[in-house]
Amino acid sequence: MADQKKKYFIIDFDSTFAKVESLDELLASSLEGRSNRDEIIREIRKITDLGMEGGISFKESLVRRVGFLKANKKQLEPLIEKLKNEVSESFKRNKEFLKQQSDYIYIVSSGFKDLIIPVVTEYGIKPENVYANCFVYDSEGNIVGFDETCLLSGDNGKVKQMKELNLQGEVYVIGDGYTDYEIKAAGIAQKFYAFTENVKRNSIIEIADHITPSLDEFLYDMNMPMTISYPKNRIKVLLLENIHPEGKRIFSEEGYQVEVINQALDEDELAEAVKDVSILGIRSKTMVTKKVLENAKKLLSIGAFCIGTNQIDLTSASKRGIAVYNAPYSNTRSVVELAIGEIIILMRNIVEKSNKLHQGVWDKSAGNSFEIRGKKLGIVGYGNIGAQLSVLAEAMGMKVYYYDIVERLALGNAVKCKSLHELLSQVDVVSLHIDGRKSNTNLIGKEEFDAMKKGVIFLNLSRGSVVDIPALMENVKSGKIAGAGLDVYPHEPKSNSEEFISELRGLKNVIITPHIGGSTEEAQVNIANFVPNKIIEYINAGNTFNSVNFPNIQLPEFPNAHRLMHVHANYPGILAKINSILANNHINIVGQYLKTNETIGYVITDIDKEYNKDVIKELRDIEHTIKFRVLY
């Protein structure tokens, strides 16, 4: 009677253990210098796919492909080195599993031992457990064919090979082709796992018992040890508001499931959409409220693909152990350049001149047209954007004044003002670069406009809520404000298809732009690189550097250790309880970090590889625990 406790793992090599088809790679290499090389390679890949999907018999596929081969044994060595670098990422990641289970892992491949054995043995797989075809060489080492007596060289070869092996136990097959499925169809295997990390064949996915986008997913389904605590393909990412495609690419390459919606969602829509989401990516229009977060049971992190985070309830996010990231520097230059451009356009009265010319009126006069050199620029908010605007404006000859409620070091010859009114009363241009916190609502209203000089130029490229719009309109119409540039508004459309409704439309010498301060290709690519990578560092290793609501910790990785992440309400004694549980379970700590802020405490603990799994429940059950995860 078969020993049902034994589990055997049958793994395909080409496009499964390795990212590529090794024979196709050898064929491509052997065709170097041929004038019709690309055409032949396309034909070879077509034959490969037909064989993998069951469109033609495997025997026909192999014979036809080897027929193209004009190679020598000497050409195998560089290809083998290349294949070593083409091992699938999830197999690299789970090398320990492959070594530990080496007695029960078999490579059963329609490829060739000559290429496979040197690659897989580096992962602990035994040479005697590799079953594949063999090349036939002539006396000069040229490949002249393959051993046709090998079971794997013929149709239904993997089934014949498995019958000969006669493994006594449960058999599980991981592969990407029809020949792998045939093992299950023949009743030899309990399950066939369609491996899709490298290639997705719909015809194979449809007949698989389980789709496994990575070896992690297979190990998770089998309840076996793996390097990471949770398969990446089960981590769902939702990206809203037309985030640059680079963001999706980075998350997808990490192995996450990514959904893209190119507009903002209202509160009810978002509350429904985030129920199974682990990572949420937004820009400035999406409001992540307490209600939304209450529905987001699986949410680990929020990425604001912009500078501001006032659209996110950071307090609620912290209380739920959700790390928030933004892009504080990525679009700074783009916003500054827009500000400089609008200052020049408004000072030169370009808008009115352009509008007249469109109507056929040639108004070639210098009236109300001024250089910016020598003019006084007042910057309200001297953070990243305000400070860089200060440097560029001064380089262009402007005299810079700034005001900020936070102590900021003046750059260049900029002059710090003691109060907002001191700044407003003496400058020719006012440019706002402040956040949207509640205390900044209508920061610039009737009283502030009254304090400004007549003929001032006014810019708001920060947040729509910080300016009293009726007061602004009144001062534009009266001529107190000679020109204004606005890029943000109290109410903005959710998508490009929605009409922009505002009293500002049609006002003379007013530039209105659709919140495009950071909308340059350079800025969007920078943001789409920065935010996902910070979130991935947090998910994978627990690093919180640059998080806006978590204590900032950046950690080196400890090899041969497990990393535990514990988020808790900021109460005293939590670290002592964590360490007491570990000590009582005889678990050695190899590294530990604790940092707190006013709301939460964040502990990272690296422990020895071996530990009792029951300890996880004890750590989760510590009073005031918000979130606990095993990172790896």
Side-chain angles (χ1 to χ4, degrees):
M1 188 173 179
D3 181 358
Q4 295 299 312
K5 290 183 180 179
K6 283 185 180 178
K7 290 183 171 67
Y8 292 95
F9 309 105
I10 311 304
I11 302 173
D12 182 34
F13 182 77
D14 295 313
S15 296
T16 299
F17 196 103
K19 299 176 185 177
V20 296
E21 294 285 328
S22 57
L23 179 57
D24 289 3
E25 292 293 310
L26 179 59
L27 284 161
S29 174
S30 73
L31 292 168
E32 288 290 347
R34 296 272 290 272
S35 59
N36 58 342
R37 178 177 183 270
D38 292 344
E39 183 183 335
I40 295 174
I41 288 173
R42 282 193 294 271
E43 179 63 21
I44 289 167
R45 286 176 180 163
K46 182 179 176 183
I47 294 168
T48 299
D49 288 338
L50 282 170
M52 288 294 176
E53 294 169 1
I56 58 175
S57 70
F58 173 74
K59 183 77 172 183
E60 182 182 351
S61 170
L62 186 61
V63 169
R64 286 170 64 180
R65 284 186 292 158
V66 173
F68 286 107
L69 189 59
K70 306 294 180 188
N72 187 277
K73 196 170 188 176
K74 293 177 182 177
Q75 291 175 264
L76 299 187
E77 202 57 45
L79 177 58
I80 289 167
E81 291 307 309
K82 180 181 178 182
L83 289 173
K84 288 178 180 179
N85 293 319
E86 293 286 353
V87 173
S88 298
E89 295 303 320
S90 62
F91 277 82
K92 289 180 186 175
R93 194 159 52 237
N94 290 287
K95 190 173 185 178
E96 195 65 28
F97 162 78
L98 299 172
K99 287 183 175 180
Q100 289 176 355
Q101 298 292 323
S102 60
D103 288 339
Y104 304 101
I105 292 175
Y106 289 77
I107 301 294
V108 178
S109 171
S110 303
F112 288 82
K113 281 187 179 182
D114 316 58
L115 301 172
I116 296 171
I117 288 177
V119 177
V120 300
T121 49
E122 291 194 357
Y123 289 78
I125 292 169
K126 297 179 177 181
E128 60 267 29
N129 283 6
V130 176
Y131 291 86
N133 286 294
C134 297
F135 288 123
V136 173
Y137 304 92
D138 65 16
S139 58
E140 295 179 349
N142 296 310
I143 297 173
V144 293
F146 57 91
D147 180 3
E148 296 194 30
T149 66
C150 175
L151 293 175
L152 288 159
S153 69
D155 295 337
N156 220 23
K158 290 189 178 181
V159 172
K160 294 173 183 175
Q161 184 66 71
M162 291 301 300
K163 285 180 177 178
E164 185 173 276
L165 279 171
N166 193 27
L167 299 173
Q168 299 301 298
E170 296 178 356
V171 175
Y172 299 89
V173 180
I174 310 168
D176 65 287
Y178 189 77
T179 57
D180 304 303
Y181 163 74
E182 286 180 324
I183 301 172
K184 163 66 190 311
I188 298 170
Q190 270 63 36
K191 267 187 175 184
F192 165 58
Y193 288 80
F195 189 79
T196 59
E197 184 172 328
N198 304 311
V199 62
K200 294 180 181 179
R201 307 182 199 277
N202 291 331
S203 61
I204 306 305
I205 288 171
E206 288 170 4
I207 57 178
D209 296 297
H210 192 101
I211 300 165
T212 181
S214 64
L215 186 59
D216 308 302
E217 172 64 24
F218 170 78
L219 296 175
Y220 186 81
D221 187 65
M222 293 290 295
N223 194 27
M224 300 197 73
M226 57 185 185
T227 299
I228 58 176
S229 61
Y230 193 69
K232 294 183 180 184
N233 58 280
R234 293 187 178 225
I235 295 176
K236 293 183 179 180
V237 180
L238 176 61
L239 302 179
L240 305 178
E241 299 188 65
N242 205 27
I243 286 168
H244 193 280
E246 183 71 4
K248 179 183 178 182
R249 184 193 66 77
I250 292 171
F251 281 128
S252 296
E253 284 193 356
E254 188 66 16
Y256 301 158
Q257 291 184 52
V258 185
E259 180 185 359
V260 174
I261 300 176
N262 289 328
Q263 65 177 51
L265 299 179
D266 62 30
E267 185 179 54
D268 289 338
E269 291 171 330
L270 187 57
E272 181 64 28
V274 297
K275 283 183 177 178
D276 293 319
V277 168
S278 299
I279 298 168
L280 175 64
I282 63 169
R283 292 175 74 183
S284 56
K285 294 177 190 174
T286 301
M287 305 304 293
V288 185
T289 63
K290 182 178 180 181
K291 176 183 174 180
V292 169
L293 294 172
E294 285 172 349
N295 273 31
K297 305 298 184 185
K298 295 184 178 180
L299 197 59
L300 300 174
S301 185
I302 301 170
F305 286 67
C306 52
I307 295 174
T309 55
N310 58 290
Q311 71 276 39
I312 302 168
D313 185 337
L314 293 177
T315 301
S316 292
S318 297
K319 288 179 178 178
R320 294 180 176 278
I322 300 166
V324 179
Y325 293 86
N326 67 340
Y329 315 110
S330 301
N331 66 358
T332 300
R333 179 69 183 204
S334 297
V335 177
V336 169
E337 287 189 5
L338 181 62
I340 291 287
E342 292 198 354
I343 291 169
I344 294 172
I345 287 170
L346 292 167
M347 290 289 286
R348 293 291 299 272
N349 202 21
I350 297 294
V351 176
E352 184 179 353
K353 294 284 169 72
S354 177
N355 289 340
K356 282 184 176 180
L357 200 55
H358 275 289
Q359 297 163 10
V361 178
W362 185 268
D363 180 10
K364 189 178 184 301
S365 67
N368 295 319
S369 181
F370 305 94
E371 292 182 352
I372 67 168
R373 181 175 51 177
K375 302 301 184 292
K376 296 177 180 178
L377 168 63
I379 299 173
V380 182
Y382 205 63
N384 298 319
I385 293 175
Q388 191 168 138
L389 175 59
S390 171
V391 171
L392 292 186
E394 186 175 313
M396 298 181 74
M398 299 190 81
K399 298 176 182 177
V400 178
Y401 297 78
Y402 72 94
Y403 171 73
D404 201 310
I405 58 173
V406 176
E407 186 65 35
R408 306 279 191 185
L409 181 66
L411 300 179
N413 296 311
V415 177
K416 180 184 177 183
C417 295
K418 295 178 181 178
S419 68
L420 178 59
H421 277 232
E422 179 190 341
L423 178 142
L424 298 175
S425 64
Q426 59 184 318
V427 298
D428 304 301
V429 180
V430 175
S431 190
L432 307 184
H433 300 285
I434 56 180
D435 62 39
R437 68 186 72 182
K438 286 185 179 179
S439 59
N440 283 340
T441 302
N442 288 340
L443 180 71
I444 306 297
K446 182 182 182 304
E447 185 180 340
E448 286 71 33
F449 286 120
D450 287 346
M452 295 180 196
K453 295 165 60 176
K454 181 173 174 56
V456 70
I457 298 297
F458 178 80
L459 299 183
N460 181 21
L461 310 182
S462 58
R463 289 289 178 267
S465 61
V466 302
V467 177
D468 181 342
I469 297 299
L472 170 63
M473 291 176 59
E474 182 182 331
N475 281 274
V476 169
K477 289 176 179 177
S478 71
K480 175 73 178 284
I481 293 177
L486 291 97
D487 188 47
V488 289
Y489 312 92
H491 304 288
E492 298 180 2
K494 289 197 298 182
S495 70
N496 290 343
S497 60
E498 185 179 328
E499 184 182 0
F500 171 61
I501 305 295
S502 174
E503 315 94 307
L504 296 166
R505 288 166 55 176
L507 283 181
K508 182 181 177 182
N509 208 26
V510 173
I511 300 173
I512 51 175
T513 50
H515 205 147
I516 56 168
S519 295
T520 60
E521 283 293 328
E522 294 89 346
Q524 292 308 304
V525 170
N526 288 340
I527 292 169
N529 272 280
F530 184 84
V531 176
N533 282 312
K534 289 298 173 187
I535 291 175
I536 289 168
E537 284 180 20
Y538 170 65
I539 300 292
N540 289 353
N543 289 336
T544 55
F545 190 70
N546 285 124
S547 171
V548 298
N549 68 323
F550 264 42
N552 275 204
I553 295 178
Q554 193 164 24
L555 310 170
E557 285 196 29
F558 273 89
N560 302 315
H562 277 299
R563 177 162 289 180
L564 313 178
M565 183 198 85
H566 192 277
V567 184
H568 57 270
N570 191 4
Y571 281 85
I574 304 293
L575 183 63
K577 291 178 181 177
I578 291 172
N579 290 345
S580 175
I581 290 170
L582 296 176
N584 291 340
N585 285 274
H586 309 290
I587 294 172
N588 185 45
I589 297 172
V590 295
Q592 191 171 58
Y593 307 82
L594 165 67
K595 219 169 182 183
T596 63
N597 60 23
E598 63 276 8
T599 308
I600 61 173
Y602 183 56
V603 182
I604 293 288
T605 305
D606 289 329
I607 63 174
D608 281 349
K609 270 287 185 187
E610 298 302 323
Y611 66 96
N612 186 335
K613 296 296 176 68
D614 293 338
V615 75
I616 301 302
K617 185 178 184 307
E618 290 187 58
L619 291 168
R620 282 200 173 104
D621 289 344
I622 292 174
E623 190 179 6
H624 305 303
T625 295
I626 295 172
K627 195 159 277 179
F628 175 87
R629 284 196 300 133
V630 178
L631 300 180
Y632 56 78

